[in-house]
Amino acid sequence: MILPQLKTRTRVQHEQAEASLDLMNPHLTRERYVQVLRRMWTLYVPLEDRLGTLLGPAGRAALDWPARLKRPLLERDLRDLRSPLPDAPGGAGDRLEFLQAEADAWGAAYVLEGATLGGQLLRRHLGTQLDLGAGGAAFYSSYGELVGPRWKAFGAALEARGAADADPAAFAERAVQSAGQTFGLFISGLPVPEVLPALRHGQAGGTL
């Protein structure tokens, strides 16, 4: 089973990534939120492009890959919040050298799909904290009522692909290593502003 390994062996990196974003902070400002969305765009654009290639036709079909893309949602949020897109993905593509094989792509996809699952809790917080109303939270509302079923479908597809591999143990190991490195992309990607004292006092919490 790959999913339990991914959850257990990447827990530390997951927690570090959440703390780095710190979106659950009660002092969160709209400016900080926009900064996070812009950072997400610079990461998701090259990540989704690379994963779409490495997953191959069978992987994309198993996941209904086009329906899982977050770039359009991030761009909608930034437009609703009247923020221009970053000029370019900011060199994030240069940090994706670890994504070389299909197993690597599945490990990275685990991080992105887990973020979508956890985003439902964050969406409620953002709606209250920032009074976003009808616009500005499409990214953290991804899939809507389908978030649970799509997470289950992802897990089933991942386990099936790993079991079908010529070397399931090696496939699982590559997926775990890739997931850890993908979490690393989200760690220390943003400066910690002075208006977020909870993070400085070790009370960070969030959802990635």
Side-chain angles (χ1 to χ4, degrees):
M1 298 291 287
I2 302 175
L3 278 175
Q5 293 187 59
L6 285 164
K7 181 177 181 180
T8 300
R9 295 176 59 190
T10 64
R11 180 175 289 116
V12 172
Q13 296 97 319
H14 188 173
E15 292 173 352
Q16 290 173 337
E18 286 188 340
S20 182
L21 297 179
D22 197 40
L23 287 174
M24 292 295 287
N25 195 294
H27 300 280
L28 179 70
T29 65
R30 186 172 290 235
E31 290 75 17
R32 169 68 174 187
Y33 176 57
V34 169
Q35 185 184 38
V36 169
L37 290 178
R38 288 171 62 86
R39 172 63 175 168
M40 292 298 101
W41 187 88
T42 68
L43 292 173
Y44 271 76
V45 169
L47 266 173
E48 290 183 337
D49 286 347
R50 183 71 67 89
L51 299 191
T53 298
L54 292 177
L55 287 169
R60 291 194 299 271
L63 294 177
D64 188 12
W65 185 244
R68 294 178 184 265
L69 297 178
K70 307 304 188 303
R71 176 177 181 167
L73 303 180
L74 284 162
E75 293 179 354
R76 184 194 310 173
D77 284 342
L78 290 170
R79 182 174 62 250
D80 288 345
L81 294 168
R82 300 181 181 181
S83 172
L85 293 177
D87 293 334
D94 297 336
R95 301 172 61 192
L96 305 184
E97 296 88 353
F98 65 91
L99 293 171
Q100 298 293 331
E102 186 183 353
D104 304 331
W106 282 94
Y110 162 81
V111 176
L112 303 190
E113 289 303 302
T116 301
L117 181 67
Q120 303 308 298
L121 173 63
L122 185 54
R123 172 64 183 91
R124 292 190 289 272
H125 169 71
L126 293 172
T128 301
Q129 180 73 18
L130 302 181
D131 191 25
L132 293 178
F139 174 63
Y140 285 107
S141 303
S142 301
Y143 306 165
E145 295 181 354
L146 295 177
V147 65
R150 283 188 176 166
W151 171 252
K152 292 180 181 178
F154 171 79
L158 169 61
E159 297 293 358
R161 177 61 186 87
D165 197 76
D167 189 342
F171 184 96
E173 183 61 29
R174 286 201 70 137
V176 168
Q177 294 301 319
S178 174
Q181 290 176 282
T182 302
F183 275 123
L185 296 173
F186 295 88
I187 297 171
S188 301
L190 291 166
V192 179
E194 289 301 310
V195 296
L196 299 180
L199 182 57
R200 297 200 308 273
H201 288 89
Q203 300 169 10
T207 304
L208 175 71

